[in-house]
């Protein structure tokens, strides 16, 4: 049950109307990191929380506070629009560049909302429920909450420097303070989840033994920037290894032959090869290829290699036998990935 108290959390009285700034302030209401987002994010996290007690109560306390933030900002927007005719952009349009971008007052604030706030961002884009994160995993959610509050505080700080209205600044000082404490509370709550033994560093703390152990502690150097391995993450006992020359682990990502009734452009025309001589392989076919210093066999459609060999001949023989047993096609690739041989067994 929710009850509404007919008093704002903090005063929302501008010194003078400013339709231009009212449009900017819409970002804190209906933007991706606005108050509507954190309101709905926390409400659904709280409603979906399976643990009664301190965590659920913290989420619901904060969610209910955020409803009041939406009301406070909506009131401020309405007061900034007070007395502003729908077509007036006199003050806003003094800067021709900004006037061209923003056009002063959002016409929908006048046409649709009758001089009030909208559930939309500063460009008039309607708020979207896809902005919220409510996964049911408190560690993942609390990290998302801390990030949302950081982004919200960043935008509030920018808007604080875009006005000289004392009344607006006083309200934004309150917003900044609440965004500060909300960041702190979610970071502390993350620590407590770990102290209570409910979660660890990784979310979720499951399947850690089942995951591919070769790839759970490496960073792949895949950009031209040379300094990624100079951070604390790649030094010390708990470092993450920096793989400076990573190689692709799979074969070509060629799409399969399309359904003829979908009329997708396709150059196979019944032949064994697609464009540029590439093999037209189907799920279940077998590829022999070179990766990570080893020759490997992999069934198309599988995520891992079926076997590996020290020599090409060894791997090729195993791949050929695997294809024969499956009644499939066997493709052998050179080290550069190009097809060297192809044999069809039973298709």
């Amino acid at each position: 049950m929710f009850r509404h108290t007919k008093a704002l959390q903090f005063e929302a009285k501008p010194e003078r109307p400013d339709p231009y700034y009212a449009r900017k302030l819409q970002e804190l209401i209906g933007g991706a990191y606005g108050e509507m987002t954190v309101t709905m994010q926390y409400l659904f996290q709280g409603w979906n929380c399976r643990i009664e007690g301190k965590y659920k109560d913290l989420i619901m306390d904060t969610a209910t506070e955020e409803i009041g933030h939406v009301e406070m900002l909506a009131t401020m927007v309405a007061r900034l629009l007070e007395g502003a005719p729908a077509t007036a952009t006199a003050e806003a349009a003094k800067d021709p560049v900004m006037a061209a971008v923003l056009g002063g007052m959002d016409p929908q604030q006048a046409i649709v909302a009758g001089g009030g706030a909208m559930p939309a961002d500063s460009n008039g884009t309607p708020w979207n429920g896809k902005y919220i994160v409510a996964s049911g995993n408190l560690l993942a959610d609390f990290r998302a909450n801390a990030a949302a509050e950081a982004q919200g505080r960043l935008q509030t700080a920018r808007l604080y420097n875009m006005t000289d209205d004392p009344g607006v600044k006083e309200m934004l000082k309150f917003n900044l303070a609440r965004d500060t404490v909300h960041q702190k509370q979610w970071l502390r709550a993350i620590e407590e989840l770990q102290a209570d033994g409910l979660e660890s560093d990784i979310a979720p703390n499951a399947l850690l033994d089942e995951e591919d152990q070769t790839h759970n502690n490496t960073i792949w150097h895949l950009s031209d920037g040379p300094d990624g391995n100079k951070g604390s993450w790649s030094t010390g006992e708990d470092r993450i290894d920096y793989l400076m020359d990573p190689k692709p682990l799979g074969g070509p990502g060629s799409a399969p032959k399309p359904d003829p009734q979908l009329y997708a452009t396709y150059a196979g025309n019944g032949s064994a090869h697609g464009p540029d001589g590439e093999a037209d392989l189907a799920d279940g076919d077998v590829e022999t290829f070179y990766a990570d210093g080893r020759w490997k066999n992999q069934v198309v459609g599988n995520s891992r290699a079926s076997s590996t060999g020290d020599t090409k001949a060894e791997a090729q023989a195993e791949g050929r036998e695997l294809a024969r047993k499956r009644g499939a096609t066997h493709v052998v690739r050179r080290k550069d990935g190009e097809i060297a041989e192809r044999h069809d067994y039973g298709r």
Side-chain angles (χ1 to χ4, degrees):
M1 180 173 67
F2 289 88
R3 285 181 175 158
H4 177 245
T5 299
K6 294 176 69 174
L8 297 176
Q9 277 185 38
F10 193 86
E11 194 55 81
K13 286 185 178 180
E15 188 175 89
R16 59 192 176 278
D18 186 347
Y20 183 46
Y21 193 79
R23 180 171 182 172
K24 295 180 181 180
L25 206 57
Q26 281 284 161
E27 195 66 33
L28 297 188
I29 296 177
Y33 298 105
E35 301 292 357
M36 288 185 65
T37 293
V38 288
T39 294
M40 299 307 295
Q41 181 157 307
Y42 301 162
L43 283 174
F44 275 92
Q45 286 179 8
W47 292 331
N48 293 338
C49 183
R50 269 69 171 182
I51 305 176
E52 294 294 335
K54 60 186 179 182
Y55 295 115
K56 184 165 187 171
D57 290 353
L58 175 66
I59 298 168
M60 291 305 299
D61 280 340
T62 313
T64 310
E65 176 185 348
E66 300 292 5
I67 300 174
H69 289 185
V70 177
E71 180 185 33
M72 183 175 63
L73 284 161
T75 301
M76 178 63 83
V77 166
R79 289 172 175 173
L80 285 166
L81 292 171
E82 184 179 0
T87 57
T89 59
E91 290 299 316
K94 284 184 176 179
D95 180 341
V97 176
M98 292 305 296
V101 174
L102 296 173
M105 179 179 181
D106 184 348
Q108 292 224 339
Q109 290 175 327
I111 299 169
V112 178
M118 299 282 293
D121 66 13
S122 54
N123 277 330
T125 305
W127 181 82
N128 193 323
K130 285 290 187 181
Y131 295 154
I132 76 167
V133 176
S135 69
N137 181 289
L138 292 185
L139 176 59
D141 285 351
F142 288 177
R143 285 177 172 166
N145 294 352
E149 294 287 351
Q151 292 288 349
R153 191 178 191 281
L154 175 61
Q155 293 179 358
T156 302
R158 288 169 174 166
L159 281 161
Y160 181 83
N161 290 320
M162 293 180 186
T163 182
D164 58 1
D165 188 303
V168 176
K169 278 186 171 289
E170 284 303 310
M171 186 198 71
L172 293 181
K173 288 178 183 179
F174 176 80
N175 287 59
L176 288 168
R178 299 312 297 165
D179 288 343
T180 295
V181 75
H182 290 163
Q183 287 187 57
K184 292 192 291 186
Q185 76 180 40
W186 296 127
L187 293 173
R188 292 289 297 275
I190 290 169
E191 293 176 356
E192 191 136 339
L193 281 172
Q194 296 170 324
D196 288 345
L198 296 173
E199 298 289 346
S200 61
D201 289 335
I202 305 300
N205 58 355
L207 303 179
L208 296 175
D209 292 334
E210 286 82 357
E211 70 188 22
D212 191 330
Q213 302 299 310
T214 304
H215 302 292
N216 63 5
N217 201 51
T218 56
I219 298 174
W220 287 23
H221 173 61
L222 291 172
S223 74
D224 289 338
D227 297 329
N229 63 344
K230 294 181 181 178
S232 60
W233 49 84
S234 62
T235 59
E237 293 183 2
D238 297 328
R239 70 179 181 275
I240 303 174
D241 295 329
Y242 228 87
L243 193 59
M244 296 305 296
D245 189 24
K247 303 294 184 184
L249 303 178
S254 303
K257 181 179 179 180
D259 183 331
Q261 294 187 11
L262 296 180
Y263 310 112
T265 303
Y266 175 67
N269 296 326
S271 69
H273 294 78
D276 302 323
E278 185 57 73
D280 176 23
L281 299 177
D283 284 354
D285 289 339
V286 180
E287 290 186 281
T288 301
F289 59 93
Y290 186 80
D292 297 330
R294 302 270 287 174
W295 285 94
K296 301 183 180 184
N297 291 302
Q298 187 165 326
V299 176
V300 175
N302 291 355
S303 59
R304 297 188 181 184
S306 302
S307 62
T308 61
D310 293 324
T311 66
K312 179 179 179 180
E314 177 186 347
Q316 185 171 345
E318 291 181 2
R320 181 170 57 249
E321 185 61 26
L322 179 60
R324 281 175 174 165
K325 288 180 179 179
R326 300 177 67 87
T329 296
H330 180 216
V331 164
V332 181
R333 297 184 181 275
R334 297 193 295 266
K335 284 188 176 183
D336 62 6
E338 295 295 322
I339 295 173
E341 298 181 39
R342 175 192 174 103
H343 304 280
D344 296 310
Y345 299 100
R347 292 192 179 178

